[in-house]
Structures are given as C-alpha cells and as structure tokens.
C-alpha cells in the first residue's frame, strides 16, 4: 500500500493523470519501482507461505521481514536514481532464493521422511 500511495503522490506532484505512465523522470522511477515490487509480491508470498508451513515459521518470518525491508530500500533507492536500486535488488533476490531453499527443504522433509 505504501508503494501505491507513493505513485499517487507522485502523480499529483507532477500532474500526471491515469492511465499515463510517462512524464517526469522521478515519476517514472517511482512508478516502475512500484510495478517491480508488485510483480515480485506473488512469488514472495508463495515462498513465504510454503516455507513457513513446511520448514519453520520463525525462520520464514525473519526472512520475510528482511525481504520487505530490502524491497523498501529498493523502492527508496530507485526513486532517487536507477542505480540506487541495485544493492537492495540483489539482497532481495538472495532472500527469495533462501526462501525457495527453505521451502524445498521443508517439502522434501515432509514428503520423504517418515
């Protein structure tokens, strides 16, 4: 919701009415950052859910909080400059891979161990 509100504020600030998605470069970066975060959210929620159920709730929750923080930093960095997104982008990708590993380990343990 925070990211969507930032797009609304940027639309007002730069006078860009929907459905336009181009205009001031800062608006375009904010809009793209919000769209990127929205695109990854279903993957994140799915991995968080599976790893929390089949591996460990606490570990999954900690990874989930770190992921949300890195996406927040990604958004802030991208809003300032396109290069500002890279560090948090790599960190959030690593957390997604970690959640994937936890989910796979949990599923394997659940279905293969007696």
């Amino acid at each position: 919701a925070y990211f969507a509100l930032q797009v609304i504020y940027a639309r007002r600030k730069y006078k860009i009415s929907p459905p336009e998605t181009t205009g001031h470069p800062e608006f375009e970066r904010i809009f793209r950052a919000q769209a990127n975060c929205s695109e990854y959210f279903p993957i994140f929620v799915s991995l968080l859910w599976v790893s929390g159920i089949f591996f460990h709730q606490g570990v999954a929750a900690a990874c989930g909080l770190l992921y949300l923080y890195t996406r927040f930093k990604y958004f802030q960095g991208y809003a300032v400059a396109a290069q500002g997104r890279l560090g948090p982008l790599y960190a959030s990708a690593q957390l997604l891979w970690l959640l994937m590993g936890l989910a796979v380990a949990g599923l394997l343990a659940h279905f293969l161990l007696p």
Side-chain angles (χ1 to χ4, degrees):
Y2 171 78
F3 301 147
L5 287 173
Q6 295 307 305
V7 172
I8 292 169
Y9 298 147
R11 282 188 183 281
R12 290 178 185 158
K13 181 177 179 180
Y14 299 109
K15 298 176 179 36
I16 300 171
S17 299
E20 294 294 322
T21 58
T22 59
H24 193 276
E26 185 175 345
F27 167 76
E28 290 181 13
R29 287 192 308 271
I30 291 170
F31 180 81
R32 193 66 232 151
Q34 186 270 337
N36 289 347
C37 290
S38 297
E39 291 165 356
Y40 277 91
F41 195 70
I43 298 167
F44 162 67
V45 170
S46 300
L47 291 173
L48 181 68
W49 178 69
V50 173
S51 63
I53 289 175
F54 291 101
F55 188 79
H56 190 274
Q57 291 178 0
V59 174
C63 289
L65 288 172
L66 284 172
Y67 176 81
L68 292 174
Y69 176 73
T70 59
R71 288 313 279 196
F72 177 72
K73 296 305 285 182
Y74 167 86
F75 186 90
Q76 286 183 325
Y78 204 168
V80 174
Q83 291 299 324
R85 77 191 195 286
L86 294 178
L89 175 67
Y90 298 141
S92 65
Q94 289 174 340
L95 286 163
L96 282 179
W97 281 109
L98 177 59
L99 283 171
M100 172 76 83
L102 297 176
V104 168
L107 286 168
L108 288 173
H110 179 78
F111 289 109
L112 296 180
L113 296 178

